[in-house]
């Protein structure tokens, strides 16, 4: 069976996934694309031999579509997800699940009512071979009790539309999710530190870099450097400090070049380049689940909801500089 995909949102990540469906993914075909920008939808549809839609609900209910792939902006996710649930179609949704935790709650309620998982969320780092190896090492007990984690999230630059809040609810979301995945426990508090210095490369409305401090249930302390105009590349770092060993993500490149200029390797320039394998694997995972008629698995709506709760606390701390606690309700058995 070839899964007929309806893809909503033709921005950067939507187009990247479209190419992935075309060149890498097996068992699926993008039969419909949807964007409110009609010219973009028409152009992409004719390039990929898909049908263009300008209204998401119409596309979701179309017979051309078996599964809904959401790459639109966060504020419209909730409506599109609930429409797909109502149409009985499985959903892949890019992060964030929704911009606020309250909206995510409605999605949880709908899934709990249905009695099964209907959505896979796009936290692609969980499919990255480096992070998976790090998790495997932690689970094996090699580092012993984990005490600290040092993270860095560096983007070469961000567009003018990137707001200060997005450092938390668009960028740090990835660390918030991956910390829970690596440690198998929840974050209990967040504090955002604004260094007095900021890069001259950041637009005036940004404070860049920022440091976010998280604490988990067992007391692991995590610092996350968010530096989104670092200039030199897309650099994601993670070092886990245990009492017996320190385990870190390695450089992701396959070769080093030794020359008169020293020992060098290429540094990725975008998340699409750095996490290409992870994106391929998460999308194939979704397609395989739909094709085999399995319940959705991988990052869930619950993960999206919990990350949104941590983000809400982070946004409050961004305003007042105080430490904010995160209160997480009991997890429904569906997600255990
Ligand atoms: C962007 O939305 C992403 O998801 C990228 O992975 C992240 O590195 C970037 O900071 C975000 O703006």
């Amino acid at each position: 069976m070839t899964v007929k995909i309806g893809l909503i949102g033709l921005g950067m990540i939507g187009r990247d996934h479209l190419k992935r469906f075309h060149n890498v993914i097996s068992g699926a075909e993008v039969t419909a694309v949807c964007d409110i920008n009609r010219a973009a939808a028409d152009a992409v549809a004719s390039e990929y031999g898909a049908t263009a839609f300008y209204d998401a609900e119409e596309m979701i209910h179309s017979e051309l579509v078996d599964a809904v792939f959401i790459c639109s902006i966060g504020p419209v996710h909730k409506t599109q997800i609930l429409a797909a649930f109502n149409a009985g179609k499985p959903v892949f949704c890019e992060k964030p699940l929704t911009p606020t935790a309250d909206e995510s709650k409605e999605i949880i309620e709908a899934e709990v009512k249905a009695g099964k998982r209907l959505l896979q969320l796009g936290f692609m780092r969980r499919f990255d071979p480096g992070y998976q190896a790090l998790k495997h090492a932690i689970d094996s007990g090699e580092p012993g009790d984990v005490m600290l984690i040092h993270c860095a999230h560096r983007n070469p630059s961000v567009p003018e539309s990137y707001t200060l809040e997005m450092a938390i609810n668009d960028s740090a979301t990835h660390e918030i999710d991956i910390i829970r995945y690596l440690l198998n426990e929840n974050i209990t508090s967040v504090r955002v530190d604004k260094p007095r210095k900021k890069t001259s490369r950041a637009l005036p409305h940004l404070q860049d870099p920022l440091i976010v401090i998280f604490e988990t249930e067992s007391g692991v302390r995590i610092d996350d450097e968010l530096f989104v105009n670092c200039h030199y590349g897309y650099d994601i770092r993670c070092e886990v400090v245990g009492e017996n060993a320190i385990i870190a993500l390695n450089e992701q490149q396959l070769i080093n070049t030794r020359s008169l200029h020293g020992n060098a390797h290429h540094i990725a320039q975008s998340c699409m380049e750095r996490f290409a394998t992870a994106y391929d694997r998460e999308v194939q995972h979704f397609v395989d689940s739909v094709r085999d008629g399995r319940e959705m698995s991988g990052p869930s709506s619950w993960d999206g909801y919990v990350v949104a709760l941590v983000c809400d606390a982070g946004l409050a701390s961004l305003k007042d500089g105080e430490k904010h606690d995160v209160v997480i309700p009991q997890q429904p058995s569906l997600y255990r």
Side-chain angles (χ1 to χ4, degrees):
M1 168 204 176
T2 300
V3 179
K4 292 180 283 171
I5 302 283
L7 188 147
I8 311 174
L10 296 171
M12 203 167 55
I13 192 70
R15 285 172 196 247
D16 191 61
H17 283 312
L18 201 55
K19 271 198 238 140
R20 173 168 294 105
F21 274 112
H22 202 66
N23 300 326
V24 183
I25 303 301
S26 59
E29 187 192 345
V30 177
T31 47
V33 292
C34 175
D35 201 289
I36 47 170
N37 179 336
R38 288 172 174 249
D42 288 342
V44 169
S46 79
E47 188 183 342
Y48 286 91
T51 301
F53 288 82
Y54 319 115
D55 177 79
E57 289 253 356
E58 200 188 323
M59 190 210 77
I60 289 167
H61 286 96
S62 160
E63 284 187 355
L64 291 172
V65 170
D66 298 325
V68 179
F69 205 90
I70 300 179
C71 303
S72 49
I73 53 167
V76 295
H77 283 182
K78 189 188 84 179
T79 313
Q80 294 173 352
I81 291 168
L82 294 178
F85 287 0
N86 283 335
K89 300 192 179 173
V91 181
F92 177 94
C93 181
E94 264 302 335
K95 46 80 41 179
L97 182 62
T98 58
T100 65
D102 277 348
E103 292 163 279
S104 291
K105 220 165 139 187
E106 287 183 51
I107 294 166
I108 303 287
E109 283 161 6
E111 263 185 336
V112 168
K113 200 166 157 207
K116 64 173 183 171
R117 279 193 52 186
L118 306 167
L119 177 146
Q120 179 186 326
L121 187 59
F123 280 133
M124 79 296 190
R125 289 191 188 185
R126 294 184 185 216
F127 292 86
D128 174 63
Y131 275 115
Q132 288 185 342
L134 203 51
K135 178 164 178 59
H136 183 73
I138 295 170
D139 289 349
S140 77
E142 193 185 352
D145 201 20
V146 174
M147 299 171 293
L148 305 171
I149 302 184
H150 305 298
C151 305
H153 187 143
R154 302 192 187 123
N155 295 179
S157 62
V158 284
E160 206 176 339
S161 55
Y162 187 97
T163 62
L164 178 60
E165 289 70 27
M166 285 167 78
I168 306 299
N169 60 19
D170 193 51
S171 299
T173 44
H174 287 293
E175 276 80 30
I176 297 170
D177 179 63
I178 212 71
I179 289 163
R180 297 180 59 245
Y181 165 77
L182 290 175
L183 297 176
N184 255 329
E185 57 174 325
N186 279 316
I187 288 170
T188 50
S189 72
V190 195
R191 183 168 58 79
V192 180
D193 261 8
K194 292 182 186 156
R196 274 176 50 224
K197 291 229 172 194
K198 74 176 206 178
T199 171
S200 58
R201 293 198 171 90
L203 288 165
H205 68 278
L206 293 185
Q207 175 72 42
D208 187 32
L210 286 174
I211 303 282
V212 187
I213 310 290
F214 302 104
E215 254 171 14
T216 67
E217 284 158 324
S218 75
V220 183
R221 188 180 168 89
I222 297 110
D223 52 88
D224 187 14
E225 171 201 312
L226 295 156
F227 186 11
V228 295
N229 288 280
C230 83
H231 184 62
Y232 71 88
Y234 187 88
D235 199 9
I236 301 299
R237 316 196 70 85
C238 183
E239 184 183 74
V240 176
V241 181
E243 53 186 357
N244 300 330
I246 294 178
I247 307 185
L249 283 184
N250 219 336
E251 300 297 344
Q252 302 296 307
Q253 305 309 320
L254 299 176
I255 54 167
N256 272 11
T257 303
R258 296 170 80 80
S259 72
L260 273 178
H261 307 294
N263 186 10
H265 63 80
H266 171 73
I267 295 178
Q269 292 299 309
S270 69
C271 60
M272 269 85 80
E273 184 186 352
R274 165 63 180 82
F275 287 110
T277 305
Y279 283 121
D280 290 350
R281 292 169 70 181
E282 70 166 4
V283 175
Q284 191 64 60
H285 180 84
F286 174 70
V287 168
D288 291 350
S289 306
V290 178
R291 193 198 46 208
D292 299 346
R294 274 185 268 128
E295 186 169 339
M296 291 291 104
S297 57
S300 67
S301 307
W302 180 258
D303 296 316
Y305 171 54
V306 173
V307 169
L309 285 169
V310 178
C311 283
D312 285 355
L315 291 174
S317 178
L318 189 64
K319 276 202 188 126
D320 64 15
E322 299 295 319
K323 173 167 141 180
H324 286 258
D325 291 336
V326 183
V327 181
I328 298 174
Q330 181 155 22
Q331 186 177 23
S333 57
L334 182 62
Y335 301 104
R336 278 188 212 127

